[in-house]
């Protein structure tokens, strides 16, 4: 039987090669889809590692408009109430404020200069945005990847009068880690409600990198013109202390043995005016990232299912033609007393001989093409999301700062590896599909007797 099977597929080499190529192509696509899903899963876990078990406290803008400039006005005492509960492991609180560089220049572009009125040029000539934070490593823009520390160390809770500066701003002003500069309150800033006129000397603790991916209308929206500071410094330029300042938001990290949803429900029972605030799972702050991940998953699933279905349909049609051409051969075998089960067994062995080189070839072909196809799919998904975001930004006139771009972050690359275990999965699923195809294609032939097969000229 094995000898007959091998003899047949070598004698009918063209038909065998056609079926083998179909199995090869579909097995390769199945392998690639599993590899893309695996790469997406790893990228998702790595990206969301710091945010899956945390939640943010933000103002409820339906009833709380925030500061005059539209920033958050979360009370420090409310943050402290949540931070002191047993379920919270750590937390990050942020102050957004504005200050001027003393004796140093900010970075301008042709775009920002073109949009600048004479009054704005005078009042905000050296103005930078400050993000005061008690732990910069967990600050939203660093977590999202919009910013990346390239030199020095992150800010910690104990730091005072310390900053992280963009490396391009430092280079423009010939500054380095360890240097000290002065920043002062901006009297024209709408959020400087006390009219504070403070000057603070700060030390550069580290440098970060990152660049806007979209256009900006003002110099202060450029990543380069943002300073990450300790909480004390950001509060002081508005004439506040850490206790009296209002905060943009706060992010709370839940202890590992606690359920996030249960913790949020318990927190909502605290004596806090919840009409003013919303508690939001941190993962919800990255809708574009989640959309890109789900988009790639969707395409990968369709690719896997489609390749199996296509293989089943095409192979079934080819086998039907193949079986139809073998009616006389099957009739002779049946006349010689060979059972239908044995004949079907020969067909099965023929399919195994054809499939083995196809499976082996698919592994190497997938390793060669998976990276390129995977990143083409990624580019397609993220490109569609970027167009959607651009339309939404244009209609709502959103700015192009790091907050918005962190919110709109998507997956940027996939590390695709075709693992040996995937070929095992593909062999199982594809073999089941081929077995069903073989049964369907041979059923009508094998249920007939030799005489019927011999006189059938269709």
């Amino acid at each position: 039987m094995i000898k007959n099977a091998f003899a047949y597929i070598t004698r009918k080499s063209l038909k065998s090669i056609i079926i083998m190529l179909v199995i090869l192509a579909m097995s390769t696509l199945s392998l690639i889809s599993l590899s893309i899903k695996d790469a997406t899963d790893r990228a998702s876990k790595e990206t969301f590692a710091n945010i899956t078990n945390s939640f943010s406290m933000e103002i409820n803008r339906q009833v709380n408009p925030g500061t005059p400039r539209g920033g958050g006005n979360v009370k420090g005492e409310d943050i402290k109430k949540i931070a002191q509960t047993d379920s919270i492991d750590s937390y990050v609180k942020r102050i957004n404020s504005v200050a001027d560089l003393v004796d140093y220049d900010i970075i301008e572009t042709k775009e920002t200069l073109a949009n600048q009125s004479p009054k704005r040029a005078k009042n905000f000539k050296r103005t930078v945005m400050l993000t005061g934070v008690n732990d910069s490593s967990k600050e939203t823009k660093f977590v999202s990847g919009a910013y990346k520390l390239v030199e020095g160390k992150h800010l910690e809770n104990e730091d005072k009068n310390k900053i992280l500066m963009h490396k391009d701003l430092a280079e423009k002003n010939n500054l380095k880690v360890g240097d000290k500069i002065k920043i002062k309150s901006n009297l024209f800033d709408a959020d400087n409600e006390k009219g504070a006129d403070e000057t603070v000397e700060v030390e550069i603790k580290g440098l970060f990198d990152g660049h806007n991916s979209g256009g900006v209308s003002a110099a202060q929206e450029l990543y380069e013109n943002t300073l990450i500071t300790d909480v004390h410094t950001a509060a002081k330029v508005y004439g506040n202390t850490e206790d009296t300042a209002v905060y943009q938001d706060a992010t709370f990290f839940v202890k590992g043995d606690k359920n996030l949803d249960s913790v949020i429900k318990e927190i909502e029972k605290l004596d806090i005016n919840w009409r003013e605030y919303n508690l939001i799972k941190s993962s919800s702050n990255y809708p574009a990232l989640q959309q890109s991940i789900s988009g790639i998953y969707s395409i990968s699933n369709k690719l896997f299912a489609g390749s199996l279905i296509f293989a089943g349909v095409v192979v079934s049609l080819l086998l039907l033609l193949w079986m139809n051409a073998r009616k006389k051969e099957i009739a002779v075998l049946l006349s010689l007393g060979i059972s239908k089960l044995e004949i079907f067994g020969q067909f099965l062995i023929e399919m195994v001989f054809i499939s083995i080189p196809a499976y082996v070839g698919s592994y190497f072909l997938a390793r060669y093409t998976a990276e390129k196809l995977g990143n083409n799919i990624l580019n397609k998904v993220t490109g569609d999301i970027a167009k959607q975001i651009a339309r939404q930004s244009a209609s709502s006139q959103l700015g192009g700062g790091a907050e918005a771009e962190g919110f709109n972050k998507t997956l940027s690359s996939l590390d695709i590896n075709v693992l040996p275990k995937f070929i095992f999965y593909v062999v199982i699923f594809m073999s089941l599909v081929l077995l069903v195809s073989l049964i369907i294609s041979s059923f009508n032939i094998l249920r007939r007797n030799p005489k019927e097969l011999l006189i059938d000229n269709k």
Side-chain angles (χ1 to χ4, degrees):
M1 191 161 56
I2 295 176
K3 184 179 178 181
N4 291 340
F6 184 76
Y8 186 83
I9 63 170
T10 52
R11 188 170 70 251
K12 302 292 184 179
S13 57
L14 181 60
K15 293 181 179 179
S16 300
I17 289 172
I18 292 173
I19 294 177
M20 185 184 71
L21 289 176
V22 172
I23 298 172
L24 171 66
M26 295 305 103
S27 296
T28 301
L29 289 177
S30 297
L31 270 175
I32 291 174
S33 66
L34 291 177
S35 301
I36 292 173
K37 286 185 68 175
D38 175 68
T40 306
D41 190 46
R42 284 185 284 110
S44 173
K45 288 178 180 178
E46 182 179 333
T47 304
F48 283 112
N50 292 324
I51 57 178
T52 51
N53 210 36
S54 62
F55 64 92
S56 297
M57 182 184 193
E58 302 174 359
I59 61 171
N60 178 9
R61 294 191 179 276
Q62 292 184 337
V63 297
N64 181 0
T67 65
R69 197 159 38 81
N73 59 359
V74 179
K75 295 177 183 178
E77 61 189 65
D78 292 335
I79 295 174
K80 189 176 291 186
K81 287 178 183 177
I82 297 176
Q84 289 174 344
T85 60
D86 293 336
S87 301
I88 302 302
D89 181 60
S90 60
Y91 70 100
V92 174
K93 54 184 180 180
R94 298 193 304 166
I95 299 176
N96 282 354
S97 52
V98 167
D100 291 338
L101 298 177
V102 178
D103 299 329
Y104 293 105
D105 296 319
I106 64 172
I107 289 178
E108 295 275 9
T109 65
K110 291 180 181 179
E111 187 180 23
T112 61
L113 289 172
N115 293 327
Q116 191 168 241
S117 66
K119 182 179 179 181
R120 184 173 181 85
K122 179 182 176 182
N123 294 341
F124 300 98
K125 183 180 180 181
R126 291 179 170 173
T127 302
V128 292
M129 304 299 293
L130 305 184
T131 298
V133 62
N134 60 321
D135 183 351
S136 62
S137 67
K138 294 180 179 178
E139 199 276 333
T140 304
K141 295 182 284 294
F142 282 100
V143 172
S144 72
Y147 293 165
K148 182 179 180 181
L149 188 72
V150 294
E151 187 178 342
K153 296 180 179 180
H154 272 292
L155 299 178
E156 298 173 340
N157 192 52
E158 297 77 19
D159 285 325
K160 192 172 183 179
N161 298 339
K162 300 288 177 67
I163 66 167
L164 302 180
M165 179 180 284
H166 195 283
K167 70 179 188 66
D168 291 350
L169 183 62
E171 184 178 334
K172 177 182 176 69
N173 291 288
N174 295 314
L175 295 168
K176 62 183 183 301
V177 173
D179 287 348
K180 293 184 178 182
I181 65 169
K182 290 181 180 180
I183 57 175
K184 62 178 295 185
S185 308
N186 184 298
L187 297 173
F188 303 99
D189 174 30
D191 278 358
N192 187 4
E193 296 181 90
K194 293 182 178 180
D197 190 13
E198 300 280 352
T199 298
V200 185
E201 184 178 61
V202 293
E203 179 185 338
I204 301 173
K205 187 179 180 181
L207 302 178
F208 66 91
D209 196 10
H211 300 278
N212 302 69
S213 59
V216 298
S217 58
Q220 285 69 37
E221 291 178 359
L222 291 169
Y223 290 14
E224 292 87 341
N225 295 324
T226 295
L227 301 182
I228 309 299
T229 78
D230 60 272
V231 172
H232 166 80
T233 299
K236 189 172 182 180
V237 295
Y238 281 169
N240 294 317
T241 65
E242 184 174 346
D243 293 328
T244 61
V246 292
Y247 291 81
Q248 173 69 19
D249 53 35
T251 300
F252 300 90
F253 298 87
V254 176
K255 291 179 179 177
D257 59 340
K258 303 293 183 181
N259 178 270
L260 182 60
D261 293 318
S262 300
V263 170
I264 290 176
K265 287 180 182 179
E266 289 300 315
I267 295 297
E268 289 174 339
K269 295 177 183 178
L270 294 176
D271 183 21
I272 293 174
N273 183 7
W274 290 112
R275 189 169 178 272
E276 297 283 319
Y277 306 121
N278 288 322
L279 295 181
I280 303 170
K281 291 181 181 180
S282 295
S283 57
S284 301
N285 287 328
Y286 301 90
L289 183 58
Q290 291 181 317
Q291 191 176 346
S292 65
I293 290 170
S294 61
I296 295 169
Y297 274 140
S298 177
I299 292 177
S300 298
N301 287 332
K302 290 175 182 177
L303 184 63
F304 183 72
S307 61
L308 292 178
I309 293 170
F310 184 81
V313 172
V314 173
V315 171
S316 293
L317 291 174
L318 290 173
L319 288 176
L320 280 171
L321 295 174
W322 197 350
M323 293 298 173
N324 195 55
R326 300 177 70 176
K327 284 187 291 188
K328 291 184 178 179
E329 176 196 348
I330 296 170
V332 171
L333 292 173
L334 289 172
S335 300
L336 293 173
I338 299 174
S339 70
K340 294 179 180 181
L341 186 61
E342 286 180 292
I343 295 172
F344 181 79
Q346 179 179 323
F347 296 159
L348 197 60
I349 293 170
E350 290 170 5
M351 189 58 67
V352 170
F353 282 147
I354 294 171
S355 301
I356 288 175
Y359 290 147
V360 174
S362 68
Y363 176 71
F364 293 102
L365 185 58
R367 289 185 65 180
Y368 181 74
T369 57
E371 189 78 25
K372 185 175 182 180
L373 181 59
N375 282 298
N376 282 342
I377 292 173
L378 174 64
N379 292 336
K380 172 68 169 61
V381 170
T382 55
D384 290 344
I385 294 171
K387 289 177 184 177
Q388 180 183 342
I389 291 170
R391 288 194 297 269
Q392 292 172 345
S393 298
S395 62
S396 58
Q397 297 182 328
L398 291 174
E403 291 288 344
E405 291 184 17
F407 184 81
N408 296 333
K409 174 184 171 63
T410 61
L411 285 182
S412 57
S413 64
L414 291 174
D415 181 20
I416 300 174
N417 296 311
V418 181
L419 302 178
K421 67 177 181 179
F422 296 150
I423 189 67
F424 176 73
Y425 298 145
V426 169
V427 167
I428 290 176
F429 284 105
M430 191 63 71
S431 296
L432 287 173
V433 169
L434 295 177
L435 178 61
V436 172
S437 300
L438 187 59
I439 292 172
I440 292 171
S441 60
S442 62
F443 177 77
N444 189 50
I445 297 289
L446 292 178
R447 71 182 179 86
R448 299 159 72 182
N449 59 50
K451 184 178 179 180
E452 289 176 324
L453 292 174
L454 288 170
I455 63 175
D456 187 359
N457 294 319
K458 293 181 181 180

